Amino acid sequence: MPRIQTTEDQRLEEARIRKKHWKRWGPYLSERQWGTVREDYSPGGTAWEYLPHDHARSRAYRWGEDGIGGISDRHQMLCFGLALWNGRDAILKERLFGLTGNQGNHGEDVKEYYFYLDSTPTHSYMRMLYKYPQAAFPYESLVEESQRRGRGQPEFELLDAGVFSADRYFDVFVEYAKADVEDILIRITAVNRGPEAAALHVLPQLWFRNTWSWGKDLRRPLARKGTSVPGSACACVELQHWQYGKRWLLCTGQPELLFTENETNNARLFGTKNRSPYVKDAFHEYVIYGNKAAVNPDQMGTKMAAYYPLQLDASQSVTLKLRLTDLEPLAAMDTGAGLVGGFVSPGMQERAEGVPATNDFAAGFDGLFATRQKEAEEFYATRIPKELSDDAKAVMRQSFSGMLWSKQFYHYDVQTWLEGDPAEPKPPAERWNGRNKEWTHLYNDDIMSMPDKWEYPWYAAWDLAFHCIPLALVDPDFAKEQLILLLREWYMHPNGQLPAYEWSFSDVNPPVHAWAAWRVYKIERRMRGAADRGFLEKVFHKLLLNFTWWVNRKDPDGANIFQGGFLGLDNIGVFDRSAPLPTGGKLEQSDGTSWMGMYCLNMLAIALELAKEDPAYEDVASKFFEHFVYIARAMNDFGSGGRSLWDDADGFYYDVLKLPNGEEHFLKIRSMVGLIPLFAVETLEPEIVDCLPGFKRRMQWFIDNHPDVPEHIEMTQRSARGVRRLLSLVNRKQLKRVLCRMLDETEFFSPYGVRALSRYHKDHPYEVHVNGNLNRVAYEPAESATGLFGGNSNWRGPIWFPVNYLLVESLQKYHHYYGEDFKVECPTHSRSECDLWQVAAEISRRLIRIFLRDSKGRRPVDGGTELFQSDPYWRDLILFYEYFHGDNGAGIGASHQTGWTGLVAKLIEQSGE
């Protein structure tokens, strides 16, 4: 596919070469800034309690901003978002509500319904939907009922509270269309879905992030009432910021303009004096309690709102139109019929063709939205296969939209955070012995792809790697930027470790960065017909540091068996693998060792690609080839003291517990831990090896001088071009046995993918008695029954997209080597034999099936929630959950984790339905 194809592709190219900064503005507001580590200045690291939801409306944030359906510039100096009031709530609805990690019976959980319906990669067009109940929002009952329920019960959701009964709610659509880089048209449409008239107060808000209260930069931006555009029937707000200069917000309908300061209400929160008489929660006071003294009568400040009190009849729809622009309103208006053009300030440049005048909120305004929508359709027509059903196309489109809306401005300077600010009280000294104290070099001030902007409004290293695969289908440049970003000096630790996530940057995530970089490189090469070797080389050099960190820190005995610890699989083990073992001793991890085998092969593949043009990479390719063989031998033959991680009796890989007295025991839990060895697989093709004489010579010497190498490298396949070699932790015989379990529907193989834990453990839980305590792992297909890792994720039975995606890819690689002659029963005991390509396709179909309507018109992802299954205003709205029920495919966990669940778009793109 050529680089320039559609109008949106042209914008992407202009952004890439920095001709026009189309991505300067985007959906970069968080959905939750409160309750984050960044905003936590407590002595004990109690982030949820230090700045709770009840404080959020009154307290100026230090490190970022949040809102509903909002946008900001890429440095989040200026923010726009939506506030609503139904006449019944005790507070303005300015941000999404949810339970903290300590309030929910399954950890933190957002208790709202909102959907990201569309976005282009440059955010030239965006659309989202928020569903707002007309009844009082049940803040207290959501908390109380959730705390009453135990871990064995399902979560208490907003629908369960009955506030959507009889369709008494508003659908509030928020749309954005960019007329130009700094000229954004905004359309807010509210629809009363209820049977009778209802009040809705709409307050589009614009505010500056507070950068002036901390004692380091005292410059204060300003918003004030501006001169209205003659004949446009709209109010005007003039904005002045020291970095961006002047901007204007134009609001149709002559709404009342409210102004205050984005400053903490110390009087409410702490009983102390306020710095300003006008504080962050002023609009709450003004609208709900009629306190007119709360807003600035001089109509200026650092936060403003356009106040639209509406009364909507049943089924009535009202549309509000606004415009955030760098065009000076009086200079860029049409002054007469037939006049096209006008001038902008500064620079006296004509408006671009198709850009409506500042006093045109009719045909020109709506016409631009229609144009941007049409361009979005054209763009996605080149990314979504034409032969798909409309249903599958809709799933892909909404998954891309969710991923693009999940970009967020992430700001965190650990040194400053630990030291505190000059104008604030000195933080407790205990923090220097607490969270992230080893990461004082870390300075983040970037747009990042988030797993979920409410439940996980912070990047996670391995999540981010998976995000980049589907992102590369629509914006390869952004995907590459994200992968490079985590390797930069102000992210990566000087010792080579990648930051895991803000709750503990020192935790260990699976090393999938090299895999993601290699995949993104190949996706872009296929799409654009050109390879970005500069990107690959840049990533490779930094990953050498990270690989060395893994070897030095996670293989303490130098035996090529890795411990890792947490490794992202949360509660999958019988012990908390991120903490010291209650038994003493150490755990030799099947998954940790397998991830490193995979890492070796990813680095080998990259090195061989780079060696095609630079022979200097042949030596380092040899290093990764040999290191892989050592890992394969250790894992299958010896372990760290004589025990293999492969149990030949069971035909499966397990973790090995090494006790202080020298005893060694398999932890016989049939879990994803034993399937991850399948990920470490790569084929060396003769046409590549023969072009690299240095690598070929060293490899042959190594094979000749290590008689056991053939056990870990298959060389049985020959082609007209020469010997083909398969590098894999799992040999042919082991592969058959592992797949026999994996494809057994009474074990791993669900109708909706591969479970993280075998269903065998439903009737045969694994139990270990230690120090008088029973440690137990049983099959739990839905939410976790334990509080391990907060209790809001569960690897003991559900289906997770990232590891399923790697299983699909690995089976395709095995098929590439073994071909159609290698067959297994699929499913096991079905007497139906399939080659591995067919097996991979079947797993893909089962995963995709989660989101598609079945023969009865029902989507498994929506489970038993009838509103989502049948209501015309809900049934086409798709949520991309963190993981899925191991038996029925229903969505579980974080409801907007389009991040790695967005991999479904890549599966549909490559496998169809």
Side-chain angles (χ1 to χ4, degrees), residues 581-614:
L581 296 173
T583 60
K586 64 182 180 180
L587 197 64
E588 295 185 337
Q589 292 179 230
S590 173
D591 55 335
T593 305
S594 302
W595 286 121
M596 283 304 291
M598 174 182 166
Y599 199 174
C600 275
L601 293 182
N602 298 149
M603 294 294 277
L604 171 60
I606 295 172
L608 291 174
E609 176 72 9
L610 295 173
K612 291 177 182 178
E613 295 186 9
D614 187 347

Side-chain angles (χ1 to χ4, degrees), residues 542-749:
K542 283 301 191 66
L543 286 173
L544 288 173
L545 300 176
N546 180 245
F547 186 90
T548 302
W549 174 84
W550 268 91
V551 172
N552 290 340
R553 296 296 182 96
K554 298 302 174 182
D555 178 20
D557 299 324
N560 298 299
I561 293 291
F562 292 82
Q563 296 179 32
F566 165 57
L567 285 176
L569 307 187
D570 295 8
N571 65 340
I572 202 164
V574 70
F575 304 122
D576 180 351
R577 302 195 302 172
S578 66
L581 296 173
T583 60
K586 64 182 180 180
L587 197 64
E588 295 185 337
Q589 292 179 230
S590 173
D591 55 335
T593 305
S594 302
W595 286 121
M596 283 304 291
M598 174 182 166
Y599 199 174
C600 275
L601 293 182
N602 298 149
M603 294 294 277
L604 171 60
I606 295 172
L608 291 174
E609 176 72 9
L610 295 173
K612 291 177 182 178
E613 295 186 9
D614 187 347
Y617 287 98
E618 292 187 51
D619 285 350
V620 73
S622 297
K623 175 259 183 297
F624 285 111
F625 169 80
E626 294 174 17
H627 203 140
F628 171 78
V629 174
Y630 291 137
I631 290 173
R633 182 171 62 183
M635 185 165 180
N636 287 290
D637 298 342
F638 307 118
S640 182
R643 179 181 285 272
S644 167
L645 302 182
W646 169 259
D647 181 3
D648 201 53
D650 285 5
F652 207 68
Y653 287 96
Y654 297 116
D655 287 347
V656 171
L657 176 63
K658 294 192 69 175
L659 296 173
N661 64 7
E663 293 181 16
E664 298 180 357
H665 301 277
F666 279 125
L667 297 181
K668 291 197 172 188
I669 304 168
R670 297 179 195 167
S671 74
M672 188 60 65
V673 166
L675 299 180
I676 288 175
L678 296 173
F679 300 167
V681 56
E682 196 70 49
T683 299
L684 293 182
E685 299 293 349
E687 56 267 35
I688 295 176
V689 173
D690 290 345
C691 292
L692 305 172
F695 173 77
K696 182 179 181 180
R697 185 168 54 250
R698 173 65 188 176
M699 180 179 67
Q700 193 58 52
W701 181 93
F702 189 82
I703 292 171
D704 292 343
N705 286 272
H706 292 79
D708 59 336
V709 165
E711 296 180 24
H712 314 295
I713 304 175
E714 280 212 38
M715 296 178 284
T716 56
Q717 300 290 331
R718 292 183 177 272
S719 69
R721 300 180 300 274
V723 177
R724 302 176 70 229
R725 298 172 175 87
L726 180 73
L727 307 181
S728 172
L729 289 181
V730 183
N731 65 34
R732 185 186 184 103
K733 188 181 297 184
Q734 292 168 325
L735 180 60
K736 287 255 187 185
R737 299 188 68 189
V738 170
L739 292 182
C740 182
R741 289 204 185 279
M742 190 184 89
L743 300 176
D744 188 334
E745 292 182 322
T746 66
E747 290 216 36
F748 287 97
F749 208 25

Side-chain angles (χ1 to χ4, degrees), residues 237-273:
V237 179
E238 182 182 293
L239 311 158
Q240 181 75 44
H241 192 278
W242 50 266
Q243 181 164 314
Y244 287 123
K246 283 190 177 181
R247 296 289 185 277
W248 291 265
L249 180 69
L250 308 177
C251 314
T252 59
Q254 295 288 0
E256 182 181 7
L257 298 180
L258 309 178
F259 292 83
T260 187
E261 301 294 337
N262 186 13
E263 296 266 12
T264 297
N265 186 343
N266 291 301
R268 173 184 177 251
L269 297 178
F270 311 116
T272 58
K273 185 178 180 181

